[in-house]
Coordinates of all heavy atoms in Angstrom, one line a residue:
M1 N 43.1 -69.4 54.4 CA 43.3 -69.4 53.0 C 41.9 -69.2 52.3 O 41.8 -68.4 51.4 CB 44.0 -70.6 52.5 CG 44.2 -70.7 51.0 SD 45.2 -72.1 50.6 CE 44.5 -72.5 49.0
I2 N 40.9 -70.0 52.7 CA 39.6 -69.9 52.1 C 39.0 -68.5 52.3 O 38.4 -67.9 51.5 CB 38.7 -71.0 52.7 CG1 39.2 -72.3 52.2 CG2 37.2 -70.7 52.3 CD1 38.4 -73.5 52.7
E3 N 39.3 -67.9 53.5 CA 38.8 -66.5 53.8 C 39.3 -65.6 52.8 O 38.6 -64.7 52.3 CB 39.2 -66.1 55.2 CG 38.6 -67.0 56.3 CD 39.2 -66.7 57.7 OE1 40.1 -65.8 57.8 OE2 38.9 -67.5 58.6
Q4 N 40.6 -65.7 52.5 CA 41.3 -64.8 51.6 C 40.7 -65.0 50.2 O 40.4 -64.0 49.5 CB 42.8 -65.0 51.6 CG 43.5 -64.0 50.7 CD 45.0 -64.2 50.7 OE1 45.5 -65.1 51.4 NE2 45.7 -63.4 50.0
I5 N 40.4 -66.2 49.8 CA 39.9 -66.4 48.5 C 38.5 -65.8 48.3 O 38.2 -65.2 47.3 CB 39.8 -68.0 48.2 CG1 41.2 -68.5 48.0 CG2 39.0 -68.3 46.9 CD1 41.3 -70.0 48.0
V6 N 37.6 -66.0 49.4 CA 36.3 -65.5 49.3 C 36.3 -63.9 49.3 O 35.6 -63.3 48.5 CB 35.5 -65.9 50.5 CG1 34.1 -65.2 50.6 CG2 35.2 -67.4 50.5
A7 N 37.2 -63.3 50.1 CA 37.3 -61.9 50.1 C 37.8 -61.4 48.7 O 37.3 -60.4 48.2 CB 38.3 -61.4 51.2
E8 N 38.7 -62.1 48.1 CA 39.2 -61.7 46.8 C 38.1 -61.9 45.7 O 38.0 -61.1 44.8 CB 40.5 -62.4 46.4 CG 41.7 -62.0 47.2 CD 42.9 -62.8 47.0 OE1 42.9 -63.7 46.0 OE2 43.9 -62.6 47.7
D9 N 37.3 -62.9 45.8 CA 36.3 -63.1 44.9 C 35.2 -62.0 44.9 O 34.7 -61.5 43.9 CB 35.5 -64.4 45.1 CG 36.3 -65.6 44.6 OD1 37.3 -65.5 43.9 OD2 35.9 -66.8 45.0
F10 N 35.0 -61.5 46.1 CA 34.1 -60.3 46.2 C 34.6 -59.1 45.5 O 33.9 -58.4 44.8 CB 33.8 -59.9 47.7 CG 32.9 -60.8 48.4 CD1 33.2 -61.3 49.7 CD2 31.7 -61.2 47.8 CE1 32.3 -62.1 50.4 CE2 30.8 -62.1 48.5 CZ 31.1 -62.5 49.8
L11 N 35.9 -58.9 45.6 CA 36.6 -57.7 45.0 C 36.6 -57.9 43.5 O 36.4 -56.9 42.8 CB 38.0 -57.5 45.5 CG 38.1 -57.2 47.0 CD1 39.5 -57.1 47.5 CD2 37.4 -55.8 47.2
I12 N 36.8 -59.1 43.0 CA 36.8 -59.3 41.6 C 35.4 -59.0 41.0 O 35.3 -58.4 39.9 CB 37.3 -60.7 41.2 CG1 38.8 -60.9 41.5 CG2 37.0 -61.1 39.8 CD1 39.3 -62.3 41.5
A13 N 34.4 -59.5 41.6 CA 33.0 -59.3 41.2 C 32.7 -57.8 41.1 O 32.1 -57.3 40.2 CB 32.0 -60.0 42.1
A14 N 33.2 -57.1 42.1 CA 32.9 -55.7 42.2 C 33.6 -54.9 41.1 O 33.1 -54.0 40.5 CB 33.3 -55.1 43.6
K15 N 34.9 -55.3 40.8 CA 35.7 -54.6 39.8 C 35.1 -54.8 38.4 O 35.1 -53.9 37.6 CB 37.1 -55.2 39.8 CG 37.9 -54.7 40.9 CD 39.3 -55.2 40.9 CE 40.1 -54.8 42.1 NZ 41.5 -55.4 42.1
F16 N 34.5 -56.0 38.1 CA 33.9 -56.2 36.8 C 32.4 -56.0 36.8 O 31.8 -56.4 35.8 CB 34.3 -57.6 36.4 CG 35.8 -57.8 36.1 CD1 36.6 -58.5 37.0 CD2 36.3 -57.2 35.0 CE1 37.9 -58.6 36.8 CE2 37.7 -57.4 34.7 CZ 38.5 -58.1 35.6
S17 N 31.9 -55.4 37.8 CA 30.4 -55.2 37.8 C 29.8 -54.4 36.7 O 28.7 -54.6 36.3 CB 30.0 -54.5 39.1 OG 30.5 -53.2 39.2
S18 N 30.6 -53.6 36.0 CA 30.1 -52.8 34.9 C 30.0 -53.6 33.6 O 29.3 -53.2 32.7 CB 31.0 -51.6 34.7 OG 32.3 -52.0 34.3
V19 N 30.6 -54.8 33.6 CA 30.6 -55.6 32.3 C 29.9 -57.0 32.5 O 29.8 -57.7 31.6 CB 32.0 -55.8 31.8 CG1 32.6 -54.5 31.3 CG2 32.9 -56.5 32.7
I20 N 29.5 -57.3 33.8 CA 28.9 -58.6 34.0 C 27.4 -58.5 33.8 O 26.8 -57.4 33.9 CB 29.2 -59.2 35.4 CG1 28.8 -58.3 36.5 CG2 30.7 -59.5 35.4 CD1 29.1 -58.8 37.9
S21 N 26.7 -59.6 33.6 CA 25.3 -59.6 33.4 C 24.6 -59.2 34.7 O 25.1 -59.3 35.7 CB 24.8 -60.9 32.9 OG 24.9 -61.9 33.9
N22 N 23.3 -58.8 34.5 CA 22.5 -58.5 35.7 C 22.3 -59.7 36.6 O 22.3 -59.5 37.8 CB 21.1 -58.0 35.3 CG 21.2 -56.6 34.8 OD1 22.1 -55.8 35.1 ND2 20.2 -56.2 34.0
E23 N 22.2 -60.9 36.0 CA 22.1 -62.1 36.8 C 23.3 -62.3 37.7 O 23.2 -62.6 38.9 CB 21.8 -63.3 35.9 CG 21.6 -64.6 36.7 CD 21.3 -65.7 35.7 OE1 20.4 -65.6 34.9 OE2 21.9 -66.7 35.9
V24 N 24.5 -62.2 37.1 CA 25.7 -62.4 37.9 C 25.9 -61.3 38.9 O 26.3 -61.5 40.1 CB 27.0 -62.5 37.0 CG1 28.3 -62.5 37.7 CG2 26.8 -63.7 36.0
L25 N 25.5 -60.1 38.6 CA 25.6 -58.9 39.5 C 24.7 -59.2 40.7 O 25.1 -59.0 41.8 CB 25.2 -57.6 38.8 CG 25.1 -56.4 39.7 CD1 26.4 -55.8 40.0 CD2 24.2 -55.3 39.0
E26 N 23.5 -59.7 40.4 CA 22.5 -59.9 41.5 C 23.0 -61.1 42.4 O 22.9 -61.0 43.6 CB 21.1 -60.3 41.0 CG 20.5 -59.1 40.4 CD 19.1 -59.4 39.7 OE1 18.6 -60.5 39.9 OE2 18.6 -58.6 38.9
H27 N 23.6 -62.1 41.8 CA 24.2 -63.2 42.6 C 25.3 -62.7 43.5 O 25.4 -63.1 44.6 CB 24.6 -64.3 41.6 CG 25.2 -65.5 42.3 ND1 24.5 -66.4 43.1 CD2 26.5 -65.9 42.4 CE1 25.3 -67.3 43.6 NE2 26.5 -67.0 43.2
S28 N 26.2 -61.9 42.9 CA 27.4 -61.4 43.7 C 26.9 -60.5 44.8 O 27.4 -60.6 45.9 CB 28.3 -60.6 42.8 OG 28.8 -61.4 41.7
L29 N 25.9 -59.7 44.5 CA 25.3 -58.8 45.5 C 24.7 -59.6 46.7 O 24.9 -59.3 47.8 CB 24.3 -57.9 44.9 CG 23.6 -56.9 45.8 CD1 24.5 -55.8 46.3 CD2 22.4 -56.3 45.1
D30 N 23.9 -60.6 46.3 CA 23.3 -61.5 47.3 C 24.3 -62.2 48.2 O 24.2 -62.2 49.4 CB 22.4 -62.5 46.6 CG 21.6 -63.3 47.6 OD1 20.9 -62.7 48.4 OD2 21.6 -64.6 47.5
A31 N 25.4 -62.7 47.6 CA 26.4 -63.4 48.3 C 27.1 -62.4 49.3 O 27.4 -62.7 50.4 CB 27.5 -64.0 47.4
A32 N 27.4 -61.2 48.8 CA 28.1 -60.2 49.7 C 27.2 -59.8 50.8 O 27.6 -59.6 51.9 CB 28.5 -59.0 48.8
L33 N 25.9 -59.6 50.5 CA 24.9 -59.2 51.6 C 24.8 -60.3 52.6 O 24.8 -60.0 53.8 CB 23.5 -58.9 51.0 CG 23.4 -57.6 50.3 CD1 22.1 -57.6 49.4 CD2 23.4 -56.5 51.2
K34 N 24.8 -61.5 52.2 CA 24.8 -62.7 53.2 C 26.0 -62.7 54.0 O 26.0 -63.0 55.2 CB 24.5 -64.0 52.4 CG 23.1 -64.1 52.0 CD 22.8 -65.4 51.2 CE 21.4 -65.5 50.8 NZ 21.1 -66.6 50.0
A35 N 27.2 -62.5 53.4 CA 28.4 -62.5 54.1 C 28.5 -61.5 55.2 O 29.1 -61.7 56.2 CB 29.6 -62.4 53.1
I36 N 28.0 -60.3 54.9 CA 28.0 -59.2 55.9 C 27.1 -59.6 57.1 O 27.5 -59.3 58.2 CB 27.4 -57.9 55.3 CG1 28.4 -57.4 54.2 CG2 27.2 -56.9 56.3 CD1 29.6 -56.8 54.8
T37 N 26.0 -60.3 56.9 CA 25.1 -60.7 58.0 C 25.5 -62.0 58.7 O 25.0 -62.2 59.8 CB 23.7 -60.7 57.5 OG1 23.6 -61.8 56.5 CG2 23.2 -59.4 56.9
M38 N 26.4 -62.7 58.2 CA 26.8 -64.0 58.8 C 27.9 -63.9 59.8 O 28.6 -62.8 59.8 CB 27.2 -65.0 57.7 CG 26.1 -65.4 56.7 SD 26.7 -66.4 55.3 CE 27.4 -67.8 56.2
N39 N 28.1 -64.9 60.6 CA 29.2 -64.9 61.5 C 30.4 -65.5 60.8 O 30.7 -66.7 60.9 CB 28.8 -65.8 62.7 CG 29.8 -65.7 63.8 OD1 30.7 -64.8 63.8 ND2 29.8 -66.6 64.7
V40 N 31.1 -64.6 60.0 CA 32.3 -65.0 59.3 C 33.5 -64.2 59.8 O 33.3 -63.1 60.4 CB 32.1 -64.9 57.8 CG1 31.0 -65.8 57.3 CG2 31.7 -63.4 57.4
P41 N 34.7 -64.6 59.5 CA 35.9 -63.8 59.9 C 35.9 -62.4 59.3 O 35.3 -62.2 58.3 CB 37.0 -64.7 59.4 CG 36.5 -66.0 59.2 CD 35.0 -65.8 58.8
P42 N 36.5 -61.5 60.0 CA 36.6 -60.1 59.6 C 37.1 -59.9 58.1 O 36.5 -59.1 57.4 CB 37.5 -59.4 60.6 CG 37.3 -60.2 61.8 CD 37.1 -61.6 61.4
P43 N 38.1 -60.6 57.7 CA 38.5 -60.4 56.3 C 37.5 -60.6 55.3 O 37.4 -59.9 54.2 CB 39.7 -61.4 56.1 CG 40.2 -61.6 57.5 CD 39.0 -61.6 58.4
V44 N 36.6 -61.6 55.5 CA 35.5 -61.9 54.6 C 34.5 -60.7 54.6 O 34.0 -60.2 53.6 CB 34.8 -63.2 54.9 CG1 33.6 -63.4 54.1 CG2 35.8 -64.3 54.8
K45 N 34.2 -60.2 55.8 CA 33.3 -59.0 55.9 C 33.8 -57.8 55.3 O 33.1 -57.0 54.6 CB 32.9 -58.8 57.4 CG 32.0 -59.8 58.0 CD 31.4 -59.4 59.3 CE 30.5 -60.5 59.8 NZ 29.5 -60.0 60.7
V46 N 35.1 -57.6 55.4 CA 35.8 -56.4 54.8 C 35.7 -56.5 53.3 O 35.3 -55.6 52.6 CB 37.2 -56.3 55.2 CG1 38.0 -55.3 54.4 CG2 37.3 -55.9 56.7
G47 N 36.0 -57.7 52.7 CA 35.9 -58.0 51.3 C 34.4 -57.8 50.8 O 34.2 -57.2 49.8
A48 N 33.5 -58.2 51.6 CA 32.1 -58.1 51.2 C 31.7 -56.6 51.3 O 30.9 -56.1 50.4 CB 31.2 -58.9 52.2
C49 N 32.2 -55.8 52.2 CA 31.9 -54.4 52.3 C 32.4 -53.7 51.1 O 31.7 -52.8 50.5 CB 32.5 -53.8 53.6 SG 31.5 -54.0 55.0
R50 N 33.6 -54.0 50.7 CA 34.2 -53.3 49.5 C 33.4 -53.7 48.3 O 33.2 -52.8 47.4 CB 35.7 -53.8 49.4 CG 36.6 -53.2 50.4 CD 38.0 -53.6 50.2 NE 38.8 -53.0 51.3 CZ 40.0 -53.5 51.7 NH1 40.4 -54.6 51.1 NH2 40.7 -52.9 52.6
A51 N 33.0 -54.9 48.2 CA 32.2 -55.3 47.0 C 30.9 -54.6 47.0 O 30.5 -54.1 46.0 CB 32.1 -56.8 47.0
L52 N 30.2 -54.6 48.1 CA 28.9 -53.9 48.2 C 29.0 -52.4 47.9 O 28.1 -51.9 47.3 CB 28.3 -54.1 49.6 CG 27.7 -55.5 49.9 CD1 27.4 -55.7 51.3 CD2 26.5 -55.8 49.0
A53 N 30.0 -51.8 48.3 CA 30.2 -50.4 48.0 C 30.1 -50.1 46.5 O 29.7 -49.0 46.1 CB 31.5 -49.8 48.7
Q54 N 30.6 -51.0 45.8 CA 30.6 -50.9 44.3 C 29.4 -51.5 43.6 O 28.9 -51.0 42.6 CB 31.9 -51.5 43.7 CG 33.1 -50.8 44.1 CD 34.4 -51.4 43.5 OE1 34.3 -52.3 42.7 NE2 35.5 -50.8 43.9
L55 N 28.8 -52.5 44.3 CA 27.7 -53.2 43.7 C 26.4 -52.5 44.0 O 25.5 -52.5 43.1 CB 27.6 -54.7 44.1 CG 28.8 -55.6 43.7 CD1 28.7 -56.9 44.4 CD2 28.8 -55.7 42.2
L56 N 26.2 -52.0 45.1 CA 24.9 -51.4 45.5 C 24.4 -50.3 44.6 O 23.2 -50.3 44.2 CB 24.9 -50.9 47.0 CG 24.8 -51.9 48.1 CD1 24.9 -51.3 49.4 CD2 23.4 -52.6 48.0
P57 N 25.3 -49.4 44.2 CA 24.8 -48.3 43.3 C 24.2 -48.9 41.9 O 23.4 -48.2 41.3 CB 26.0 -47.4 43.0 CG 26.9 -47.7 44.2 CD 26.7 -49.1 44.5
K58 N 24.7 -50.1 41.5 CA 24.3 -50.6 40.2 C 23.1 -51.6 40.4 O 22.5 -52.1 39.4 CB 25.5 -51.3 39.6 CG 26.6 -50.4 39.3 CD 27.8 -51.2 38.9 CE 29.0 -50.2 38.6 NZ 30.0 -50.2 39.6
A59 N 22.7 -51.9 41.6 CA 21.7 -52.9 41.9 C 20.3 -52.4 41.8 O 20.1 -51.2 42.1 CB 21.9 -53.6 43.2
K60 N 19.4 -53.2 41.5 CA 17.9 -52.8 41.5 C 17.5 -52.7 42.9 O 17.8 -53.6 43.8 CB 17.1 -53.9 40.7 CG 17.4 -53.9 39.3 CD 16.6 -55.0 38.6 CE 17.0 -55.2 37.2 NZ 16.3 -56.3 36.5
K61 N 16.7 -51.7 43.2 CA 16.2 -51.5 44.6 C 15.4 -52.6 45.1 O 15.4 -52.9 46.3 CB 15.4 -50.1 44.7 CG 16.3 -48.9 44.5 CD 15.6 -47.7 44.8 CE 16.5 -46.5 44.6 NZ 16.6 -45.6 45.7
E62 N 14.6 -53.2 44.3 CA 13.7 -54.3 44.8 C 14.5 -55.5 45.2 O 14.0 -56.3 46.0 CB 12.7 -54.7 43.7 CG 13.3 -55.2 42.4 CD 13.4 -54.1 41.4 OE1 13.2 -52.9 41.7 OE2 13.7 -54.4 40.2
I63 N 15.8 -55.6 44.8 CA 16.6 -56.7 45.3 C 17.3 -56.3 46.6 O 17.4 -57.1 47.5 CB 17.7 -57.0 44.2 CG1 17.1 -57.6 43.0 CG2 18.8 -58.0 44.8 CD1 18.0 -57.7 41.8
V64 N 17.7 -55.1 46.7 CA 18.4 -54.6 47.9 C 17.5 -54.3 49.1 O 17.8 -54.7 50.2 CB 19.2 -53.3 47.5 CG1 19.9 -52.7 48.8 CG2 20.2 -53.6 46.4
Q65 N 16.4 -53.7 48.9 CA 15.5 -53.2 50.0 C 15.1 -54.3 51.0 O 15.2 -54.0 52.2 CB 14.3 -52.5 49.5 CG 14.7 -51.1 48.9 CD 13.6 -50.3 48.4 OE1 12.5 -50.9 48.1 NE2 13.8 -49.0 48.3
P66 N 14.8 -55.5 50.6 CA 14.4 -56.5 51.6 C 15.5 -56.9 52.5 O 15.3 -57.4 53.6 CB 13.9 -57.7 50.8 CG 13.6 -57.2 49.4 CD 14.5 -56.0 49.2
Q67 N 16.7 -56.6 52.1 CA 17.9 -57.1 52.9 C 18.5 -55.9 53.7 O 19.5 -56.1 54.4 CB 18.9 -57.7 52.0 CG 18.3 -59.0 51.3 CD 19.4 -59.7 50.6 OE1 20.5 -60.0 51.1 NE2 19.0 -60.1 49.4
L68 N 18.0 -54.7 53.6 CA 18.6 -53.6 54.2 C 18.6 -53.6 55.7 O 19.6 -53.2 56.3 CB 18.0 -52.3 53.7 CG 18.4 -51.8 52.3 CD1 17.6 -50.5 52.0 CD2 19.9 -51.5 52.2
F69 N 17.6 -54.1 56.3 CA 17.6 -54.1 57.8 C 18.7 -55.0 58.3 O 19.5 -54.6 59.2 CB 16.2 -54.7 58.3 CG 16.2 -54.7 59.8 CD1 16.0 -53.5 60.5 CD2 16.3 -55.9 60.5 CE1 16.0 -53.5 61.9 CE2 16.3 -55.9 61.9 CZ 16.1 -54.7 62.6
G70 N 18.9 -56.2 57.7 CA 20.0 -57.0 58.2 C 21.4 -56.4 57.9 O 22.3 -56.5 58.6
L71 N 21.5 -55.7 56.7 CA 22.7 -55.0 56.4 C 23.0 -53.9 57.4 O 24.2 -53.8 57.8 CB 22.6 -54.4 54.9 CG 23.8 -53.7 54.4 CD1 25.1 -54.5 54.4 CD2 23.5 -53.1 53.1
F72 N 22.0 -53.1 57.7 CA 22.3 -52.0 58.7 C 22.7 -52.5 60.0 O 23.6 -52.0 60.7 CB 21.1 -51.1 58.8 CG 20.9 -50.1 57.6 CD1 19.6 -50.1 57.0 CD2 21.9 -49.3 57.2 CE1 19.4 -49.2 56.0 CE2 21.7 -48.4 56.2 CZ 20.5 -48.4 55.5
S73 N 22.0 -53.6 60.4 CA 22.3 -54.2 61.7 C 23.8 -54.7 61.7 O 24.5 -54.5 62.7 CB 21.3 -55.4 62.0 OG 21.7 -56.0 63.2
S74 N 24.2 -55.4 60.7 CA 25.5 -56.0 60.6 C 26.6 -54.9 60.5 O 27.6 -55.0 61.1 CB 25.6 -56.9 59.4 OG 24.8 -58.0 59.6
L75 N 26.3 -53.8 59.8 CA 27.2 -52.7 59.7 C 27.4 -52.0 61.0 O 28.5 -51.5 61.3 CB 26.8 -51.7 58.5 CG 26.9 -52.3 57.1 CD1 26.3 -51.3 56.1 CD2 28.4 -52.6 56.8
T76 N 26.3 -51.8 61.7 CA 26.4 -51.2 63.0 C 27.2 -52.1 64.0 O 28.1 -51.5 64.7 CB 24.9 -51.1 63.7 OG1 24.1 -50.3 62.8 CG2 25.0 -50.4 65.0
D77 N 27.1 -53.4 63.9 CA 27.9 -54.3 64.7 C 29.4 -54.1 64.2 O 30.3 -54.1 65.1 CB 27.5 -55.7 64.5 CG 28.2 -56.6 65.4 OD1 28.3 -56.4 66.6 OD2 28.8 -57.7 64.9
L78 N 29.6 -54.0 62.9 CA 31.0 -53.8 62.5 C 31.6 -52.5 63.0 O 32.8 -52.4 63.3 CB 31.1 -53.8 60.9 CG 31.1 -55.2 60.2 CD1 31.0 -55.0 58.7 CD2 32.3 -56.0 60.6
L79 N 30.8 -51.5 63.0 CA 31.3 -50.2 63.6 C 31.8 -50.3 65.0 O 32.8 -49.7 65.4 CB 30.2 -49.1 63.5 CG 30.0 -48.4 62.2 CD1 28.8 -47.4 62.3 CD2 31.2 -47.6 61.8
N80 N 31.1 -51.1 65.8 CA 31.5 -51.3 67.2 C 32.8 -52.0 67.3 O 33.5 -51.9 68.3 CB 30.4 -52.1 67.9 CG 29.2 -51.3 68.1 OD1 29.2 -50.1 68.2 ND2 28.0 -52.0 68.1
H81 N 33.2 -52.8 66.3 CA 34.5 -53.5 66.3 C 35.5 -53.1 65.3 O 36.5 -53.7 65.2 CB 34.2 -55.0 66.1 CG 33.2 -55.6 67.0 ND1 33.5 -55.8 68.4 CD2 31.9 -56.0 66.9 CE1 32.4 -56.3 69.0 NE2 31.4 -56.4 68.1
A82 N 35.2 -52.0 64.6 CA 36.1 -51.5 63.5 C 37.4 -50.9 64.1 O 37.4 -50.2 65.1 CB 35.4 -50.5 62.7
S83 N 38.4 -51.2 63.4 CA 39.7 -50.6 63.7 C 39.8 -49.3 62.9 O 38.9 -49.0 62.1 CB 40.9 -51.5 63.2 OG 40.9 -51.7 61.8
D84 N 40.8 -48.5 63.1 CA 41.0 -47.3 62.4 C 41.0 -47.5 60.9 O 40.5 -46.6 60.2 CB 42.2 -46.5 62.9 CG 42.1 -46.0 64.3 OD1 41.0 -45.9 64.8 OD2 43.1 -45.7 64.9
E85 N 41.6 -48.6 60.5 CA 41.8 -48.9 59.1 C 40.4 -49.2 58.4 O 40.2 -48.8 57.3 CB 42.7 -50.0 58.8 CG 44.2 -49.8 59.3 CD 44.4 -50.1 60.8 OE1 43.7 -51.0 61.3 OE2 45.2 -49.5 61.4
T86 N 39.6 -49.9 59.2 CA 38.3 -50.3 58.5 C 37.1 -49.3 58.9 O 36.1 -49.5 58.2 CB 37.9 -51.7 59.0 OG1 37.8 -51.7 60.4 CG2 38.9 -52.7 58.5
L87 N 37.3 -48.4 59.8 CA 36.2 -47.5 60.2 C 35.7 -46.7 59.0 O 34.5 -46.7 58.7 CB 36.7 -46.6 61.3 CG 35.6 -45.6 61.8 CD1 34.5 -46.3 62.4 CD2 36.3 -44.7 62.8
H88 N 36.6 -46.2 58.2 CA 36.2 -45.4 57.0 C 35.4 -46.2 56.0 O 34.5 -45.8 55.4 CB 37.4 -44.7 56.4 CG 38.0 -43.6 57.2 ND1 37.3 -42.4 57.5 CD2 39.1 -43.6 58.0 CE1 38.1 -41.7 58.3 NE2 39.2 -42.4 58.6
M89 N 35.9 -47.5 55.8 CA 35.3 -48.3 54.9 C 33.8 -48.7 55.3 O 32.9 -48.7 54.5 CB 36.1 -49.6 54.7 CG 35.5 -50.5 53.6 SD 35.5 -52.3 54.0 CE 35.4 -52.4 55.7
V90 N 33.6 -48.9 56.6 CA 32.3 -49.3 57.1 C 31.4 -48.1 57.0 O 30.2 -48.2 56.6 CB 32.4 -49.8 58.5 CG1 31.0 -50.0 59.1 CG2 33.2 -51.1 58.6
L91 N 31.9 -46.9 57.3 CA 31.1 -45.7 57.1 C 30.7 -45.4 55.7 O 29.6 -45.0 55.4 CB 31.8 -44.5 57.7 CG 32.0 -44.5 59.2 CD1 32.9 -43.3 59.7 CD2 30.6 -44.4 59.9
E92 N 31.6 -45.7 54.8 CA 31.3 -45.5 53.4 C 30.3 -46.5 52.9 O 29.4 -46.2 52.2 CB 32.6 -45.8 52.5 CG 32.4 -45.7 51.0 CD 33.7 -46.0 50.3 OE1 34.8 -45.6 50.7 OE2 33.6 -46.6 49.2
M93 N 30.4 -47.7 53.5 CA 29.4 -48.7 53.2 C 28.0 -48.3 53.7 O 27.0 -48.5 53.0 CB 29.8 -50.1 53.8 CG 29.0 -51.3 53.4 SD 28.8 -51.5 51.7 CE 27.1 -51.4 51.5
L94 N 27.9 -47.8 54.9 CA 26.7 -47.3 55.4 C 26.1 -46.2 54.5 O 24.9 -46.2 54.3 CB 26.9 -46.7 56.8 CG 26.8 -47.7 58.0 CD1 27.3 -47.0 59.3 CD2 25.4 -48.2 58.1
Q95 N 26.9 -45.3 54.0 CA 26.5 -44.3 53.1 C 25.8 -44.9 51.8 O 24.8 -44.5 51.4 CB 27.6 -43.3 52.7 CG 27.2 -42.2 51.8 CD 28.4 -41.4 51.4 OE1 29.5 -41.6 51.7 NE2 28.1 -40.3 50.7
E96 N 26.5 -45.9 51.3 CA 26.0 -46.5 50.1 C 24.7 -47.3 50.4 O 23.8 -47.3 49.5 CB 27.0 -47.5 49.5 CG 28.2 -46.8 48.9 CD 27.9 -45.8 47.7 OE1 26.9 -46.1 47.0 OE2 28.6 -44.8 47.6
A97 N 24.6 -47.9 51.5 CA 23.4 -48.6 51.9 C 22.2 -47.6 52.1 O 21.1 -47.9 51.6 CB 23.6 -49.4 53.2
V98 N 22.5 -46.5 52.6 CA 21.4 -45.5 52.8 C 20.9 -45.0 51.4 O 19.7 -44.9 51.1 CB 21.9 -44.3 53.6 CG1 20.9 -43.1 53.5 CG2 22.1 -44.7 55.1
K99 N 21.9 -44.8 50.5 CA 21.5 -44.3 49.1 C 20.7 -45.4 48.4 O 19.8 -45.1 47.7 CB 22.8 -44.1 48.3 CG 23.5 -42.8 48.7 CD 24.7 -42.6 47.8 CE 25.5 -41.4 48.2 NZ 26.8 -41.3 47.4
A100 N 21.1 -46.7 48.6 CA 20.4 -47.8 48.0 C 19.0 -48.0 48.5 O 18.1 -48.4 47.8 CB 21.2 -49.1 48.2
G101 N 18.8 -47.6 49.8 CA 17.4 -47.7 50.4 C 16.5 -46.6 50.0 O 15.3 -46.7 50.0

């Protein structure tokens, strides 16, 4: 249940990213980046990926760049375990990460 709540929170933050303050955007981005790199259940990582795909284009590069190595490493690991349903999402996330870097 907690996993589902966390995943939904990521999606809500991403949906409202255009109207939230920069401080809240940065906090949401930081939380999603940490979730991707942590040993958490797949639904949380999927929610974080979806949020990051929407948050990264709006984020300042100086916030994103220090965390890119961990993000790429975690996304590569996700690719190794991705199902057909999540494969496209992870690839899309990689594309956004490359653009952000």
